[in-house]
Amino acid sequence: WSSDVCSSDLLTRDEVRTRLRISAAHFSKIAAGKVRGLPKLASVPLGRRQMFVDTTVDRWIRDVEAKSCSTAR
């Protein structure tokens, strides 16, 4: 995690879930790394909250896209 990250670069679970357009239940499974074929989405624990760095979410999306393109036929 870069020291250049400021609070405006942090996203809540709901913000990421809305961005990905998925249900809360499915997002919880992704964040926990329990969805086969998808990497765990890295987060930053802040007390009881789980926050996500904006650039990490972008990279996760690109990684998933690249993986799906390489396995699709």
Side-chain angles (χ1 to χ4, degrees), residues 26-49:
H26 190 62
F27 180 76
S28 291
K29 291 175 185 174
I30 289 172
K34 295 182 179 181
V35 178
R36 184 182 299 170
L38 291 179
K40 180 178 179 178
L41 181 56
S43 64
V44 178
L46 293 175
R48 293 176 29 185
R49 299 181 72 176

Side-chain angles (χ1 to χ4, degrees), residues 42-68:
S43 64
V44 178
L46 293 175
R48 293 176 29 185
R49 299 181 72 176
Q50 187 179 25
M51 304 295 286
F52 300 85
V53 180
D54 186 41
T55 55
T56 301
V57 175
D58 289 340
R59 186 175 6 160
W60 183 86
I61 292 169
R62 285 192 306 274
D63 291 348
V64 170
E65 179 184 34
K67 184 176 180 180
S68 70

Side-chain angles (χ1 to χ4, degrees), residues 14 20-21 25 47 50 58 65-66 71-72:
D14 282 340
L20 296 175
R21 298 180 187 149
Q50 187 179 25
D58 289 340
E65 179 184 34
T71 60

